[in-house]
């Protein structure tokens, strides 16, 4: 076992541990956080950092064989499409009328969207804005 | 043998991390909660398929992972578009 094999093992194990750590953080956030947007903020990290970390661990361990090329394809696809899906589902949730939790202080997108469209179902801008101005 | 033990630990950990997704799918108060949980579940299954493909030394599970990630993305975009505008296409 020469030096390059040892370095490959250490790097791939590091990426595996990083991916598993971010999957654990995302699942903890999905279980514990109080709001749709907070949960989305936690679970997007699974797609970008967790899955990409595990796939990069596989690529470093195997080199650019058939499985390594497919692993880096899956990792890049998840890295590109997870933020797009997260943005679309959060925008749809806000327009669908899902409110924020009580600890939120400011909602800029709801303010601008309710100025444009008067039939907006979100009805919590005034109180939140007043509390934000008083602070 | 050391790396094989690490990969087995990773597989068991991925199976355990399905439990909060199932909890959020069953209990989630609104529809976007459930969509987010399904998306996270699909991503965890993709990671599990990648690790299992490396354990079994077979390329075919990686194809399954790629197709499942594409289907999860298309499903999330479709459901969000349906929630936003009321139509799919």
């Amino acid at each position: 076992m020469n030096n390059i094999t040892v370095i490959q093992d250490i790097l791939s194990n590091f990426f595996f541990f990083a991916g598993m750590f971010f999957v654990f953080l995302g699942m903890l956030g999905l279980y514990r956080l109080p709001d749709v947007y907070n949960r989305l903020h936690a679970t997007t990290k699974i797609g970008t950092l967790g899955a990409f970390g595990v796939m990069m661990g596989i690529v470093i361990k195997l080199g650019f064989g058939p499985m390594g090329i497919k692993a880096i394809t899956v990792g890049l696809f998840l890295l590109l499409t997870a933020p797009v899906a997260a943005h679309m589902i959060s925008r749809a949730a806000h327009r669908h009328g899902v409110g924020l939790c009580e600890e939120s202080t400011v909602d800029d997108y709801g303010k601008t969207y309710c100025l444009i469209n008067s039939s907006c179902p979100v009805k919590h801008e005034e109180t939140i804005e007043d509390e934000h101005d008083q602070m | 043998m050391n790396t094989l033990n690490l990969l087995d630990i990773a597989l068991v950990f991925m199976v355990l991390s399905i439990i909060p997704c199932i909890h959020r799918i069953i209990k989630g108060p609104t529809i976007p909660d459930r969509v987010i949980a399904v998306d996270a579940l699909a991503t965890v299954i993709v990671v599990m398929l990648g690790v299992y493909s490396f354990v079994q030394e077979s390329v075919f599970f990686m194809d399954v992972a790629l197709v499942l990630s594409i289907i999860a993305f298309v499903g999330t975009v479709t459901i969000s578009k349906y929630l936003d505008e009321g139509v799919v296409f």
Side-chain angles (χ1 to χ4, degrees):
Chain A
M1 177 177 285
N2 51 1
N3 286 325
I4 296 178
T5 313
V6 175
I7 291 172
Q8 270 186 350
D9 274 345
I10 290 172
L11 268 181
S12 64
N13 287 342
F14 171 73
F15 274 107
F16 268 121
F17 273 117
M20 283 166 59
F21 178 68
F22 278 104
V23 170
F24 170 70
L25 283 188
M27 284 304 143
L28 195 66
L30 184 65
Y31 187 72
R32 286 294 295 170
L33 285 178
D35 197 0
V36 179
Y37 309 103
N38 294 335
R39 281 176 211 136
L40 188 64
H41 174 74
T43 55
T44 312
K45 271 72 187 172
I46 300 175
T48 56
L49 288 170
F52 190 67
V54 172
M55 293 304 165
M56 281 305 290
I58 292 173
V59 170
I60 290 171
K61 201 181 279 286
L62 286 177
F64 288 100
M67 196 186 295
I69 293 292
K70 280 177 183 175
I72 204 168
T73 308
V74 173
L76 281 180
F77 184 80
L78 282 174
L79 193 69
L80 286 177
T81 58
V84 178
H87 173 254
M88 283 200 72
I89 192 62
S90 72
R91 181 169 164 270
H94 201 288
R95 288 192 179 188
H96 191 63
V98 178
L100 279 70
C101 62
E102 289 87 4
E103 292 86 2
S104 302
T105 57
V106 65
D107 185 12
D108 280 336
Y109 182 68
K111 196 167 58 183
T112 57
Y113 181 62
C114 286
L115 281 181
I116 293 169
N117 191 1
S118 61
S119 68
C120 174
V122 184
K123 295 295 181 187
H124 52 79
E125 278 80 29
E126 291 87 6
T127 61
I128 291 174
E129 187 69 24
D130 290 339
E131 289 175 358
H132 189 66
D133 284 339
Q134 286 173 4
M135 284 195 298
Chain B
M1 184 55 89
N2 190 13
T3 60
L4 191 64
N5 283 328
L6 175 64
L7 290 173
D8 289 339
I9 289 170
L11 279 177
V12 173
F13 179 74
M14 293 303 163
V15 171
L16 285 181
S17 70
I18 287 179
I19 296 172
C21 294
I22 302 292
H23 169 265
R24 188 54 68 189
I25 288 171
I26 293 172
K27 185 179 170 287
T30 60
I31 301 172
D33 278 320
R34 295 186 170 95
V35 179
I36 290 165
V38 168
D39 198 13
L41 180 66
T43 310
V44 168
I45 291 174
V46 164
V47 174
M48 199 192 311
L49 280 170
V51 177
Y52 190 67
S53 168
F54 180 69
V55 169
Q56 291 288 319
E57 295 177 351
S58 168
V59 193
F60 305 113
F61 294 103
M62 206 65 86
D63 295 337
V64 179
L66 185 59
V67 172
L68 187 62
S69 64
I70 292 171
I71 288 176
F73 172 66
V74 172
T76 305
V77 170
T78 306
I79 293 175
S80 63
K81 196 166 170 52
Y82 172 69
L83 282 180
D84 195 355
E85 301 172 0
V87 294
V88 175
F89 294 110

